[in-house]
PDB file of all heavy atoms in Angstrom:
ATOM      1  N   THR A   1     114.554  78.302  86.085  1.00  0.00           N
ATOM      2  CA  THR A   1     114.016  78.071  84.750  1.00  0.00           C
ATOM      3  C   THR A   1     112.501  78.202  84.763  1.00  0.00           C
ATOM      4  O   THR A   1     111.813  77.529  85.530  1.00  0.00           O
ATOM      5  CB  THR A   1     114.413  76.685  84.235  1.00  0.00           C
ATOM      6  OG1 THR A   1     115.834  76.628  84.081  1.00  0.00           O
ATOM      7  CG2 THR A   1     113.753  76.391  82.900  1.00  0.00           C
ATOM      8  N   ALA A   2     111.970  79.088  83.923  1.00  0.00           N
ATOM      9  CA  ALA A   2     110.533  79.346  83.885  1.00  0.00           C
ATOM     10  C   ALA A   2     110.234  80.362  82.798  1.00  0.00           C
ATOM     11  O   ALA A   2     111.136  80.998  82.246  1.00  0.00           O
ATOM     12  CB  ALA A   2     110.033  79.870  85.232  1.00  0.00           C
ATOM     13  N   MET A   3     108.951  80.522  82.510  1.00  0.00           N
ATOM     14  CA  MET A   3     108.499  81.641  81.719  1.00  0.00           C
ATOM     15  C   MET A   3     108.302  82.817  82.665  1.00  0.00           C
ATOM     16  O   MET A   3     107.609  82.683  83.686  1.00  0.00           O
ATOM     17  CB  MET A   3     107.193  81.307  81.002  1.00  0.00           C
ATOM     18  CG  MET A   3     106.703  82.400  80.065  1.00  0.00           C
ATOM     19  SD  MET A   3     107.684  82.520  78.541  1.00  0.00           S
ATOM     20  CE  MET A   3     107.110  81.059  77.673  1.00  0.00           C
ATOM     21  N   TYR A   4     108.901  83.944  82.351  1.00  0.00           N
ATOM     22  CA  TYR A   4     108.828  85.123  83.202  1.00  0.00           C
ATOM     23  C   TYR A   4     107.866  86.137  82.603  1.00  0.00           C
ATOM     24  O   TYR A   4     107.947  86.454  81.415  1.00  0.00           O
ATOM     25  CB  TYR A   4     110.210  85.746  83.373  1.00  0.00           C
ATOM     26  CG  TYR A   4     111.070  84.993  84.349  1.00  0.00           C
ATOM     27  CD1 TYR A   4     111.571  83.738  84.031  1.00  0.00           C
ATOM     28  CD2 TYR A   4     111.365  85.531  85.602  1.00  0.00           C
ATOM     29  CE1 TYR A   4     112.340  83.027  84.935  1.00  0.00           C
ATOM     30  CE2 TYR A   4     112.139  84.834  86.504  1.00  0.00           C
ATOM     31  CZ  TYR A   4     112.624  83.580  86.168  1.00  0.00           C
ATOM     32  OH  TYR A   4     113.393  82.890  87.068  1.00  0.00           O
ATOM     33  N   TYR A   5     106.967  86.655  83.443  1.00  0.00           N
ATOM     34  CA  TYR A   5     105.926  87.565  83.004  1.00  0.00           C
ATOM     35  C   TYR A   5     106.020  88.909  83.709  1.00  0.00           C
ATOM     36  O   TYR A   5     106.276  88.975  84.915  1.00  0.00           O
ATOM     37  CB  TYR A   5     104.538  86.983  83.294  1.00  0.00           C
ATOM     38  CG  TYR A   5     104.229  85.708  82.558  1.00  0.00           C
ATOM     39  CD1 TYR A   5     104.511  84.475  83.128  1.00  0.00           C
ATOM     40  CD2 TYR A   5     103.650  85.743  81.295  1.00  0.00           C
ATOM     41  CE1 TYR A   5     104.227  83.297  82.468  1.00  0.00           C
ATOM     42  CE2 TYR A   5     103.359  84.569  80.626  1.00  0.00           C
ATOM     43  CZ  TYR A   5     103.649  83.350  81.217  1.00  0.00           C
ATOM     44  OH  TYR A   5     103.357  82.186  80.553  1.00  0.00           O
ATOM     45  N   CYS A   6     105.782  89.951  82.968  1.00  0.00           N
ATOM     46  CA  CYS A   6     105.635  91.294  83.503  1.00  0.00           C
ATOM     47  C   CYS A   6     104.166  91.529  83.834  1.00  0.00           C
ATOM     48  O   CYS A   6     103.283  91.133  83.070  1.00  0.00           O
ATOM     49  CB  CYS A   6     106.124  92.307  82.468  1.00  0.00           C
ATOM     50  SG  CYS A   6     105.886  94.038  82.895  1.00  0.00           S
ATOM     51  N   ALA A   7     103.892  92.174  84.968  1.00  0.00           N
ATOM     52  CA  ALA A   7     102.522  92.444  85.386  1.00  0.00           C
ATOM     53  C   ALA A   7     102.406  93.859  85.937  1.00  0.00           C
ATOM     54  O   ALA A   7     103.387  94.427  86.417  1.00  0.00           O
ATOM     55  CB  ALA A   7     102.082  91.431  86.446  1.00  0.00           C
ATOM     56  N   ALA A   8     101.188  94.415  85.896  1.00  0.00           N
ATOM     57  CA  ALA A   8     100.976  95.781  86.350  1.00  0.00           C
ATOM     58  C   ALA A   8      99.643  95.931  87.059  1.00  0.00           C
ATOM     59  O   ALA A   8      98.660  95.263  86.725  1.00  0.00           O
ATOM     60  CB  ALA A   8     101.043  96.749  85.170  1.00  0.00           C
ATOM     61  N   ASN A   9      99.629  96.819  88.048  1.00  0.00           N
ATOM     62  CA  ASN A   9      98.424  97.263  88.726  1.00  0.00           C
ATOM     63  C   ASN A   9      98.279  98.747  88.417  1.00  0.00           C
ATOM     64  O   ASN A   9      99.177  99.531  88.731  1.00  0.00           O
ATOM     65  CB  ASN A   9      98.531  97.012  90.233  1.00  0.00           C
ATOM     66  CG  ASN A   9      97.264  97.372  90.986  1.00  0.00           C
ATOM     67  OD1 ASN A   9      96.675  98.439  90.784  1.00  0.00           O
ATOM     68  ND2 ASN A   9      96.839  96.487  91.875  1.00  0.00           N
ATOM     69  N   VAL A  10      97.167  99.135  87.823  1.00  0.00           N
ATOM     70  CA  VAL A  10      96.975 100.527  87.420  1.00  0.00           C
ATOM     71  C   VAL A  10      96.073 101.290  88.380  1.00  0.00           C
ATOM     72  O   VAL A  10      95.806 102.467  88.151  1.00  0.00           O
ATOM     73  CB  VAL A  10      96.396 100.615  85.999  1.00  0.00           C
ATOM     74  CG1 VAL A  10      97.308  99.906  85.015  1.00  0.00           C
ATOM     75  CG2 VAL A  10      94.981 100.049  85.939  1.00  0.00           C
ATOM     76  N   HIS A  11      95.598 100.652  89.448  1.00  0.00           N
ATOM     77  CA  HIS A  11      94.644 101.276  90.352  1.00  0.00           C
ATOM     78  C   HIS A  11      95.224 101.674  91.693  1.00  0.00           C
ATOM     79  O   HIS A  11      94.901 102.736  92.212  1.00  0.00           O
ATOM     80  CB  HIS A  11      93.450 100.342  90.586  1.00  0.00           C
ATOM     81  CG  HIS A  11      92.715  99.998  89.340  1.00  0.00           C
ATOM     82  ND1 HIS A  11      91.990 100.931  88.633  1.00  0.00           N
ATOM     83  CD2 HIS A  11      92.594  98.825  88.663  1.00  0.00           C
ATOM     84  CE1 HIS A  11      91.447 100.352  87.579  1.00  0.00           C
ATOM     85  NE2 HIS A  11      91.803  99.074  87.576  1.00  0.00           N
ATOM     86  N   TYR A  12      96.080 100.842  92.267  1.00  0.00           N
ATOM     87  CA  TYR A  12      96.589 101.069  93.609  1.00  0.00           C
ATOM     88  C   TYR A  12      98.077 100.805  93.684  1.00  0.00           C
ATOM     89  O   TYR A  12      98.629 100.011  92.907  1.00  0.00           O
ATOM     90  CB  TYR A  12      95.867 100.176  94.625  1.00  0.00           C
ATOM     91  CG  TYR A  12      94.369 100.341  94.613  1.00  0.00           C
ATOM     92  CD1 TYR A  12      93.559  99.397  94.007  1.00  0.00           C
ATOM     93  CD2 TYR A  12      93.783 101.448  95.220  1.00  0.00           C
ATOM     94  CE1 TYR A  12      92.182  99.547  93.994  1.00  0.00           C
ATOM     95  CE2 TYR A  12      92.405 101.606  95.203  1.00  0.00           C
ATOM     96  CZ  TYR A  12      91.612 100.652  94.593  1.00  0.00           C
ATOM     97  OH  TYR A  12      90.253 100.809  94.580  1.00  0.00           O
ATOM     98  N   ASN A  13      98.703 101.458  94.651  1.00  0.00           N
ATOM     99  CA  ASN A  13     100.117 101.235  94.931  1.00  0.00           C
ATOM    100  C   ASN A  13     100.224 100.073  95.919  1.00  0.00           C
ATOM    101  O   ASN A  13     100.450 100.260  97.109  1.00  0.00           O
ATOM    102  CB  ASN A  13     100.761 102.504  95.494  1.00  0.00           C
ATOM    103  CG  ASN A  13     102.231 102.328  95.775  1.00  0.00           C
ATOM    104  OD1 ASN A  13     102.933 101.616  95.065  1.00  0.00           O
ATOM    105  ND2 ASN A  13     102.713 102.993  96.817  1.00  0.00           N
ATOM    106  N   VAL A  14     100.044  98.871  95.403  1.00  0.00           N
ATOM    107  CA  VAL A  14     100.017  97.670  96.222  1.00  0.00           C
ATOM    108  C   VAL A  14     101.332  96.918  96.074  1.00  0.00           C
ATOM    109  O   VAL A  14     101.733  96.577  94.957  1.00  0.00           O
ATOM    110  CB  VAL A  14      98.848  96.753  95.829  1.00  0.00           C
ATOM    111  CG1 VAL A  14      98.856  95.493  96.677  1.00  0.00           C
ATOM    112  CG2 VAL A  14      97.526  97.495  96.003  1.00  0.00           C
ATOM    113  N   ILE A  15     101.973  96.663  97.201  1.00  0.00           N
ATOM    114  CA  ILE A  15     103.243  95.951  97.197  1.00  0.00           C
ATOM    115  C   ILE A  15     103.015  94.543  97.741  1.00  0.00           C
ATOM    116  O   ILE A  15     102.991  94.316  98.949  1.00  0.00           O
ATOM    117  CB  ILE A  15     104.309  96.673  98.027  1.00  0.00           C
ATOM    118  CG1 ILE A  15     104.499  98.106  97.529  1.00  0.00           C
ATOM    119  CG2 ILE A  15     105.630  95.906  97.978  1.00  0.00           C
ATOM    120  CD1 ILE A  15     105.004  98.184  96.098  1.00  0.00           C
ATOM    121  N   ASN A  16     102.829  93.605  96.851  1.00  0.00           N
ATOM    122  CA  ASN A  16     102.748  92.200  97.205  1.00  0.00           C
ATOM    123  C   ASN A  16     103.053  91.368  95.971  1.00  0.00           C
ATOM    124  O   ASN A  16     103.268  91.910  94.879  1.00  0.00           O
ATOM    125  CB  ASN A  16     101.384  91.825  97.815  1.00  0.00           C
ATOM    126  CG  ASN A  16     100.216  92.001  96.855  1.00  0.00           C
ATOM    127  OD1 ASN A  16     100.301  91.664  95.673  1.00  0.00           O
ATOM    128  ND2 ASN A  16      99.108  92.523  97.369  1.00  0.00           N
ATOM    129  N   LEU A  17     103.087  90.044  96.146  1.00  0.00           N
ATOM    130  CA  LEU A  17     103.410  89.138  95.052  1.00  0.00           C
ATOM    131  C   LEU A  17     102.259  88.169  94.795  1.00  0.00           C
ATOM    132  O   LEU A  17     102.478  86.990  94.509  1.00  0.00           O
ATOM    133  CB  LEU A  17     104.702  88.377  95.372  1.00  0.00           C
ATOM    134  CG  LEU A  17     105.963  89.247  95.377  1.00  0.00           C
ATOM    135  CD1 LEU A  17     107.158  88.477  95.909  1.00  0.00           C
ATOM    136  CD2 LEU A  17     106.251  89.766  93.974  1.00  0.00           C
ATOM    137  N   GLU A  18     101.048  88.693  94.865  1.00  0.00           N
ATOM    138  CA  GLU A  18      99.861  87.894  94.613  1.00  0.00           C
ATOM    139  C   GLU A  18      99.397  88.092  93.176  1.00  0.00           C
ATOM    140  O   GLU A  18      99.232  89.226  92.717  1.00  0.00           O
ATOM    141  CB  GLU A  18      98.737  88.276  95.579  1.00  0.00           C
ATOM    142  CG  GLU A  18      99.073  88.056  97.043  1.00  0.00           C
ATOM    143  CD  GLU A  18      99.283  86.597  97.363  1.00  0.00           C
ATOM    144  OE1 GLU A  18      98.605  85.748  96.747  1.00  0.00           O
ATOM    145  OE2 GLU A  18     100.128  86.306  98.227  1.00  0.00           O
ATOM    146  N   VAL A  19      99.145  87.002  92.487  1.00  0.00           N
ATOM    147  CA  VAL A  19      98.718  87.059  91.090  1.00  0.00           C
ATOM    148  C   VAL A  19      97.464  87.901  90.922  1.00  0.00           C
ATOM    149  O   VAL A  19      97.351  88.696  89.985  1.00  0.00           O
ATOM    150  CB  VAL A  19      98.493  85.638  90.537  1.00  0.00           C
ATOM    151  CG1 VAL A  19      97.824  85.696  89.173  1.00  0.00           C
ATOM    152  CG2 VAL A  19      99.814  84.888  90.451  1.00  0.00           C
ATOM    153  N   ALA A  20      96.508  87.760  91.850  1.00  0.00           N
ATOM    154  CA  ALA A  20      95.221  88.440  91.729  1.00  0.00           C
ATOM    155  C   ALA A  20      95.340  89.948  91.833  1.00  0.00           C
ATOM    156  O   ALA A  20      94.412  90.666  91.447  1.00  0.00           O
ATOM    157  CB  ALA A  20      94.263  87.914  92.792  1.00  0.00           C
ATOM    158  N   THR A  21      96.429  90.438  92.365  1.00  0.00           N
ATOM    159  CA  THR A  21      96.633  91.876  92.512  1.00  0.00           C
ATOM    160  C   THR A  21      96.839  92.565  91.172  1.00  0.00           C
ATOM    161  O   THR A  21      96.516  93.747  91.023  1.00  0.00           O
ATOM    162  CB  THR A  21      97.840  92.148  93.428  1.00  0.00           C
ATOM    163  OG1 THR A  21      97.554  91.649  94.738  1.00  0.00           O
ATOM    164  CG2 THR A  21      98.136  93.641  93.527  1.00  0.00           C
ATOM    165  N   PHE A  22      97.336  91.837  90.201  1.00  0.00           N
ATOM    166  CA  PHE A  22      97.767  92.433  88.947  1.00  0.00           C
ATOM    167  C   PHE A  22      96.818  92.074  87.814  1.00  0.00           C
ATOM    168  O   PHE A  22      96.625  90.897  87.500  1.00  0.00           O
ATOM    169  CB  PHE A  22      99.202  92.001  88.635  1.00  0.00           C
ATOM    170  CG  PHE A  22     100.162  92.420  89.707  1.00  0.00           C
ATOM    171  CD1 PHE A  22     100.430  91.587  90.778  1.00  0.00           C
ATOM    172  CD2 PHE A  22     100.764  93.663  89.658  1.00  0.00           C
ATOM    173  CE1 PHE A  22     101.289  91.982  91.784  1.00  0.00           C
ATOM    174  CE2 PHE A  22     101.625  94.074  90.658  1.00  0.00           C
ATOM    175  CZ  PHE A  22     101.886  93.230  91.729  1.00  0.00           C
ATOM    176  N   GLY A  23      96.256  93.093  87.200  1.00  0.00           N
ATOM    177  CA  GLY A  23      95.248  92.877  86.177  1.00  0.00           C
ATOM    178  C   GLY A  23      95.757  92.890  84.752  1.00  0.00           C
ATOM    179  O   GLY A  23      95.017  92.547  83.831  1.00  0.00           O
ATOM    180  N   TYR A  24      97.014  93.275  84.564  1.00  0.00           N
ATOM    181  CA  TYR A  24      97.579  93.365  83.225  1.00  0.00           C
ATOM    182  C   TYR A  24      98.869  92.575  83.157  1.00  0.00           C
ATOM    183  O   TYR A  24      99.701  92.647  84.062  1.00  0.00           O
ATOM    184  CB  TYR A  24      97.817  94.829  82.845  1.00  0.00           C
ATOM    185  CG  TYR A  24      96.545  95.637  82.836  1.00  0.00           C
ATOM    186  CD1 TYR A  24      96.117  96.294  83.984  1.00  0.00           C
ATOM    187  CD2 TYR A  24      95.766  95.726  81.689  1.00  0.00           C
ATOM    188  CE1 TYR A  24      94.938  97.021  83.985  1.00  0.00           C
ATOM    189  CE2 TYR A  24      94.591  96.450  81.683  1.00  0.00           C
ATOM    190  CZ  TYR A  24      94.184  97.097  82.839  1.00  0.00           C
ATOM    191  OH  TYR A  24      93.009  97.824  82.839  1.00  0.00           O
ATOM    192  N   TRP A  25      99.030  91.844  82.060  1.00  0.00           N
ATOM    193  CA  TRP A  25     100.153  90.925  81.914  1.00  0.00           C
ATOM    194  C   TRP A  25     100.766  91.001  80.523  1.00  0.00           C
ATOM    195  O   TRP A  25     100.072  91.237  79.534  1.00  0.00           O
ATOM    196  CB  TRP A  25      99.694  89.485  82.161  1.00  0.00           C
ATOM    197  CG  TRP A  25      99.161  89.278  83.535  1.00  0.00           C
ATOM    198  CD1 TRP A  25      97.897  89.535  83.974  1.00  0.00           C
ATOM    199  CD2 TRP A  25      99.883  88.771  84.658  1.00  0.00           C
ATOM    200  NE1 TRP A  25      97.787  89.224  85.309  1.00  0.00           N
ATOM    201  CE2 TRP A  25      98.988  88.751  85.748  1.00  0.00           C
ATOM    202  CE3 TRP A  25     101.184  88.333  84.836  1.00  0.00           C
ATOM    203  CZ2 TRP A  25      99.366  88.304  87.012  1.00  0.00           C
ATOM    204  CZ3 TRP A  25     101.567  87.888  86.092  1.00  0.00           C
ATOM    205  CH2 TRP A  25     100.658  87.877  87.164  1.00  0.00           C
ATOM    206  N   GLY A  26     102.071  90.783  80.464  1.00  0.00           N
ATOM    207  CA  GLY A  26     102.747  90.651  79.188  1.00  0.00           C
ATOM    208  C   GLY A  26     102.654  89.236  78.672  1.00  0.00           C
ATOM    209  O   GLY A  26     102.024  88.361  79.275  1.00  0.00           O
ATOM    210  N   GLN A  27     103.297  88.985  77.540  1.00  0.00           N
ATOM    211  CA  GLN A  27     103.206  87.678  76.894  1.00  0.00           C
ATOM    212  C   GLN A  27     104.198  86.663  77.446  1.00  0.00           C
ATOM    213  O   GLN A  27     104.058  85.467  77.191  1.00  0.00           O
ATOM    214  CB  GLN A  27     103.424  87.831  75.384  1.00  0.00           C
ATOM    215  CG  GLN A  27     104.875  87.910  74.930  1.00  0.00           C
ATOM    216  CD  GLN A  27     105.564  89.210  75.305  1.00  0.00           C
ATOM    217  OE1 GLN A  27     104.921  90.197  75.657  1.00  0.00           O
ATOM    218  NE2 GLN A  27     106.900  89.214  75.225  1.00  0.00           N
ATOM    219  N   GLY A  28     105.193  87.119  78.182  1.00  0.00           N
ATOM    220  CA  GLY A  28     106.176  86.238  78.779  1.00  0.00           C
ATOM    221  C   GLY A  28     107.453  86.127  77.969  1.00  0.00           C
ATOM    222  O   GLY A  28     107.459  86.280  76.753  1.00  0.00           O
ATOM    223  N   THR A  29     108.554  85.857  78.664  1.00  0.00           N
ATOM    224  CA  THR A  29     109.836  85.587  78.031  1.00  0.00           C
ATOM    225  C   THR A  29     110.489  84.417  78.754  1.00  0.00           C
ATOM    226  O   THR A  29     110.508  84.363  79.982  1.00  0.00           O
ATOM    227  CB  THR A  29     110.742  86.839  78.043  1.00  0.00           C
ATOM    228  OG1 THR A  29     111.949  86.579  77.323  1.00  0.00           O
ATOM    229  CG2 THR A  29     111.076  87.280  79.464  1.00  0.00           C
ATOM    230  N   GLN A  30     111.009  83.465  77.998  1.00  0.00           N
ATOM    231  CA  GLN A  30     111.512  82.219  78.569  1.00  0.00           C
ATOM    232  C   GLN A  30     112.934  82.373  79.092  1.00  0.00           C
ATOM    233  O   GLN A  30     113.810  82.904  78.402  1.00  0.00           O
ATOM    234  CB  GLN A  30     111.465  81.102  77.519  1.00  0.00           C
ATOM    235  CG  GLN A  30     111.999  79.761  78.007  1.00  0.00           C
ATOM    236  CD  GLN A  30     111.119  79.133  79.059  1.00  0.00           C
ATOM    237  OE1 GLN A  30     109.889  79.202  78.969  1.00  0.00           O
ATOM    238  NE2 GLN A  30     111.732  78.531  80.072  1.00  0.00           N
ATOM    239  N   VAL A  31     113.160  81.871  80.296  1.00  0.00           N
ATOM    240  CA  VAL A  31     114.490  81.803  80.891  1.00  0.00           C
ATOM    241  C   VAL A  31     114.810  80.343  81.162  1.00  0.00           C
ATOM    242  O   VAL A  31     114.052  79.652  81.846  1.00  0.00           O
ATOM    243  CB  VAL A  31     114.577  82.610  82.195  1.00  0.00           C
ATOM    244  CG1 VAL A  31     115.911  82.360  82.901  1.00  0.00           C
ATOM    245  CG2 VAL A  31     114.394  84.092  81.912  1.00  0.00           C
ATOM    246  N   THR A  32     115.928  79.873  80.626  1.00  0.00           N
ATOM    247  CA  THR A  32     116.350  78.495  80.820  1.00  0.00           C
ATOM    248  C   THR A  32     117.772  78.484  81.371  1.00  0.00           C
ATOM    249  O   THR A  32     118.672  79.084  80.783  1.00  0.00           O
ATOM    250  CB  THR A  32     116.296  77.705  79.506  1.00  0.00           C
ATOM    251  OG1 THR A  32     114.966  77.740  78.982  1.00  0.00           O
ATOM    252  CG2 THR A  32     116.711  76.262  79.731  1.00  0.00           C
TER     253      THR A  32
END
């Protein structure tokens, strides 16, 4: 259960799960 967000990196093909890696974000969709 959480708010789920889509994120994107437009500069590099970086494969990790670090928030700072991604500069663009969606508004979120709630999953309960």
